Amino acid sequence: MSRVYNFSAGPSVLPEEVLKKAAEQMTEYENSGMSVMEMSHRSADYEAIIGKAESLLRELMHIPDNYKVLFLQGGASTQFAMIPLNLLKKSKKADYVITGQWAKKAAQEAEKYGEVKKVASSADKTFSYIPELDKSEFTPDADYFHITFNNTIYGTRYTSLPDTGNVPLVADISSNILSEPIDVTKFGLLYAGAQKNMGPAGLTVVIIREDLIGDVEPFVPTMLTYKIHAENGSMYNTPPTYAIYICMLVLEWLKENGGIEAMYETNLKKAETIYSYLDSSQMFKGTVEPKDRSLMNVPFITDSEELNAKFIKEAKAKGFVNLKGHRTVGGMRASIYNAMSLEGVEALVDFMKEFEKNNK
Ligand SMILES: *Cc1c(COP(=O)(O)O)cnc(C)c1O
């Protein structure tokens, strides 16, 4: 068996060490006599697994004690509804910055439950930049202010956060969680689908400041109530046990490899390697405003659809897979999450150079 270089945007590459450990423990976890998949979520063995996943995440992200960590299901997309259902409490108003598909979907969902103001958008240039934010546009009594921190599809990310004063800042960090240091104290709520940078699909992590956890309208489904999950230690019902276990292994791997600070350093090198080539290439170019470039998702194009298709095909034959851009953007996209090594990115860039030379 030989593993490819997988540049998928999600579900995406996982550390090989993690997969091997999981394989080793597949039929019997430690001395339990069973697979993690077969365990009661209320067993002592499983309590230890979910407990470790939480404590590692707290340690790695420096999550303060006044924040709860919730292990939920339904993907980031369920959070698009859960956030307004739980947080639209006083004014029932929220501000959203529209930086791509995910931000748009999040805002659309919130519109069902309250008054949404789109304070800025980069739709005019296919979301290729992060818009300047004018504080005077912000709703002073909003219940929260929502951003998509890293835009997986378009390849942009915030390099500074909006100053929202007392209005809680809420961020979708699905594609940049664990990739760079994030100051949790700046946020009221952070959420991420695990399948980009922390584990398999099926697990969604929510980090929420305790004062934002409260009662909701009676019509809100029990399963969509943060308070219920917080009070029950993410065990109101059966959590996604195996996905949480893999996430725990990923967090262990991360810690053994220097934590988020070390990941960030490598991620900067990876991004620099590919962007500097894109900037010097006569054939390939990046699609994003340089100052707003994502460290995790790198979209790029040539000036011909034919050449794009040829590149994707030849790359695949060489073991560089999932480089096709999102269906709404076209071209190519290399997602270079934590589990993609610097060597993997260097190998891709070498291949791009060779392709450029051969197709002049
Ligand atoms: C992938 C992604 C989503 C959607 O996640 P699901 O878990 O599929 O619902 C939302 N936001 C961002 C930033 C994403 O990258």
Side-chain angles (χ1 to χ4, degrees), residues 40-115:
S40 163
H41 57 295
R42 313 222 181 255
S43 64
D45 278 327
Y46 195 75
E47 287 279 2
I49 291 171
I50 195 170
K52 186 149 190 213
E54 177 172 345
S55 65
L56 282 168
L57 188 66
R58 285 186 175 278
E59 180 185 340
L60 290 163
M61 288 186 72
H62 313 294
I63 300 172
D65 288 343
N66 64 325
Y67 285 75
K68 284 268 193 276
V69 172
L70 307 177
F71 294 106
L72 308 177
Q73 305 193 52
S77 302
T78 297
Q79 293 309 308
F80 297 167
M82 205 162 164
I83 289 160
L85 280 169
N86 285 263
L87 267 47
L88 287 176
K89 279 225 181 105
K90 295 182 202 117
S91 66
K92 300 205 184 287
K93 293 179 199 165
D95 287 346
Y96 278 73
V97 183
I98 308 301
T99 51
Q101 296 262 356
W102 299 122
K104 221 156 85 179
K105 285 186 174 166
Q108 266 164 13
E109 199 66 19
E111 276 168 347
K112 296 183 180 181
Y113 309 108
E115 197 182 309

Side-chain angles (χ1 to χ4, degrees), residues 26-28 33-41 241-242:
M26 173 61 84
T27 51
E28 186 185 6
M34 63 180 86
S35 160
V36 173
M37 272 178 269
E38 301 168 297
M39 282 177 188
S40 163
H41 57 295
T241 53
Y242 198 74

Side-chain angles (χ1 to χ4, degrees), residues 37 58 81 150 174 195 236 240 264 304 346:
M37 272 178 269
R58 285 186 175 278
N150 182 78
S174 293
Q195 71 275 21
Y236 171 74
Y264 179 53
S304 124
E346 285 168 349

Side-chain angles (χ1 to χ4, degrees), residues 195-352:
Q195 71 275 21
K196 310 284 163 61
N197 208 18
M198 58 186 331
L203 167 65
T204 311
V205 170
V206 171
I207 302 163
I208 180 171
R209 211 174 60 210
E210 273 168 357
D211 61 285
L212 296 175
I213 302 173
D215 294 321
V216 292
E217 303 273 6
F219 70 83
V220 175
T222 309
M223 280 295 290
L224 297 188
T225 306
Y226 290 127
K227 190 166 178 230
I228 293 287
H229 293 289
E231 283 175 353
N232 290 280
S234 303
M235 295 261 197
Y236 171 74
N237 73 328
T238 317
T241 53
Y242 198 74
I244 293 168
Y245 157 71
I246 300 287
C247 179
M248 178 204 79
L249 295 182
V250 169
L251 295 169
E252 275 179 352
W253 171 85
L254 220 117
K255 187 175 167 181
E256 279 161 19
N257 287 279
I260 291 175
E261 289 72 15
M263 288 295 139
Y264 179 53
E265 215 173 287
T266 307
N267 289 334
L268 286 172
K269 282 192 201 134
K270 283 152 54 185
E272 163 65 17
T273 301
I274 189 159
Y275 287 123
S276 68
Y277 169 61
L278 289 173
D279 290 342
S280 69
S281 168
Q282 304 295 310
M283 175 180 284
F284 296 104
K285 59 175 198 283
T287 57
V288 167
E289 183 95 25
K291 69 176 178 28
D292 299 326
R293 284 169 165 172
S294 166
L295 299 179
M296 294 285 99
N297 311 97
V298 183
F300 56 97
I301 51 171
T302 71
D303 56 20
S304 124
E305 282 299 333
E306 222 180 315
L307 211 49
N308 290 347
K310 184 166 190 242
F311 173 77
I312 291 162
K313 188 165 162 231
E314 290 184 14
K316 187 174 174 194
K318 291 263 168 131
F320 302 101
V321 309
N322 287 318
L323 282 166
K324 203 171 184 322
H326 189 268
R327 57 199 149 77
T328 61
V329 191
M332 282 73 70
R333 171 178 51 170
S335 294
I336 51 175
Y337 298 114
N338 287 347
M340 175 56 63
S341 62
L342 178 59
E343 293 70 44
V345 174
E346 285 168 349
L348 173 65
V349 169
D350 286 344
F351 173 72
M352 290 167 76

